[in-house]
Amino acid sequence: MPRSLFAMILTLLVLHQDNWFWTDDRLVFGFMPIGLFYHACISIAASCVWFYAVIQCWPADLETSNLESETEAKVTEGGAS
Amino acid sequence: MIQFWIISGYLSLLLLLGLFASRLFRGTSSDYMLASHSIGPFLLLMSLFGTTMTAFALVGSTGEAFKEGIGVYGMLASSSGIIHSLCFFLLGVKLWGFGKRYGYRTQIQFFRDRLDSDGIGLLLFPILVGLVIPYLLIGVISSGVVMQTMTAGAFPDLFPTETIATSGGLPPWLGSLMICLVVLTYVFFGGMRGTAWANAFQTVVFMVLGIVTFGVIANKLGGQENLWENLRLLGEAVSENKAARGDMSKTKFFTYLLVPLSVGMFPHLFQHWLTAKSAGSFKLPVVAHPIFIMIVWVPCVLIGVWATTGLLPAKPPLPGNPNAILPFLVKTQAGPVLGGFLTAGILAAIMSSLDSQFLCLGTMFTNDIVGHYFRRDANDQSQIKLARGFIIGVVAVTYVLSLFKPPSVFALGVWCFSGFSALFPLAFAALYWRRLTKWGAYAAVLATIAAWGYFFSDAVGRAITAGNPGPIRTYTLDLTLGGETYEVMPVAAIFLASLVAMIGVSLVTRPPKQETLQKFFAP
């Protein structure tokens, strides 16, 4: 796993333990408790981190081996027909 | 009666979907168990999400928020958003690659091959099956309870009970039977393809209905002209202890992060991973899973905390069981039509997990026991027959067990997850640590059994003393440091025992063979 992704995941896990909002009951947008809003943002941030992961850190070797196996399968099918 | 017809219509639709999927069946065992590795990104996202989100996502999240406040979102949902996708990314994609290359259909086939050990399969098989069974029972029992509550009043002469809330509703044995038969039908005929299609459909159903229910309940409870005003009114009415986490242990919250790692060892999820068409099919599930969790959980958590406010009508009184809060609110605030649809949504969440688990256990019995020890030369048709036979058997056994209503089965939920989580180091090391040996793997599994058994028996002892199963569900380890007591989830200790045993024993035993390492690790 690249260091940048590892650092992002670690940051997410640290931010997840939000001791700073533990006893805070303020409302965001007038209806959403800040602790819930913060963790909804953590969910969105998690999606962003995983978006980065699939764009920058996707295992290219698996994609290649998949293409190879599909090509092999097509060649075999063509041969059989 | 309207609810009954809506539910019946929904179940009929599912049966049709299963039968339609069976028309696409290619007649091979690989197609029956793995949909011939043909599932694309959207279906994979929906089936993975539908499988990991049980009825707990709708009913349990509301109930837990009612009891504990908004903190349950961070403890159970945002943590899962990070960890589940981590498991899909780190384990799912790689295991899919090995599954496609070496023809695996079950986790045990992979572990046997990776560890050069037949015995590891025999050790893991009863543990994996044993941890899935309570999970299945929870789904089957819940479906019967939900059906009875939501159809109450439909058949007053046929099914009278002493409680008004359930009188005239389908009895739980009949509701559970209907659900089991519907799931069995589409899994039996449609195999993995039918399961994936049904999962996708049901996931859409429970997500959409969850949001609609949120809007309707907010408007009804708030009583103002528009949704925004109602949301503000309800938000301001929530008390401080529900809108913050003053009563929640920080260390319990922290150690709960280990529980979602269970996804890395769920055998039914492993099977779903193998259905992917390509490695690229995982990209959408990895990215969208945390957002999907948020879409389902945030509305449910808000409804749960609103139920604690004075804006709720005094009559009828709230049910004592927190898990009945959402069905109760739907029934009293949303009217029969939406009530019927939401019941369909709750049943969708239950069935989208049950189907994968039934199919997975059938696949495991077929491949890991019969196929491996007794009928290695079974052809495709025999394998499909065997799998279907085992699926019928698993459904029948689960249904019969559910009739006994094991009293503490609901309290077992978090223990099942903890058991799977403690086996996560084994799954991770099998893919990323060349030095993992079969003895290290045995040590990890045995340490898990020992630690899990020790803490679970302690929890059962406390439940017996208390005279109710509550302590099994709420069990924590209390660590005292510097005069302060910290609550820690037992999963932390079980996980640590498994990890230490695996690393320690692997390092002092003979490394794996070179040809095995070459098979699983790039040079």
Side-chain angles (χ1 to χ4, degrees), chain A residues 1 5 16-19 21-22 25 27 29-33 36 39-40 43 47 50-51 57-58 62-63 66, chain B residues 73-74 78 85-86 93 96 100 228 231-232 240 243 245 248 250 253-254 278-280 287 290-291 294 298:
Chain A
M1 185 191 292
L5 180 60
H16 179 266
Q17 186 67 27
D18 62 324
N19 292 354
F21 286 135
W22 212 259
D25 66 339
L27 297 174
F29 305 127
F31 76 94
M32 202 170 191
L36 181 60
H39 275 278
S43 295
S47 263
W50 293 119
F51 182 72
C57 320
W58 197 250
L62 272 174
E63 294 287 2
N66 180 50
Chain B
Y73 183 87
S78 63
S85 288
L86 180 78
V93 182
W96 169 84
K100 191 152 189 189
W228 191 254
L231 291 176
R232 290 171 68 93
E240 186 189 338
R245 283 161 284 174
M248 189 175 271
K250 286 177 184 163
F253 184 91
F254 177 66
S278 66
V287 175
I291 299 280
M294 183 187 78
V298 168

Side-chain angles (χ1 to χ4, degrees), chain B residues 66 220-221 306-320 325 328-329 332-333:
Chain B
F66 175 77
K220 195 77 199 284
L221 290 179
W306 293 342
T308 62
T309 67
L311 291 173
L312 246 73
K315 284 185 181 176
L318 281 171
I325 295 291
F328 170 84
L329 286 177
T332 55
Q333 308 296 318

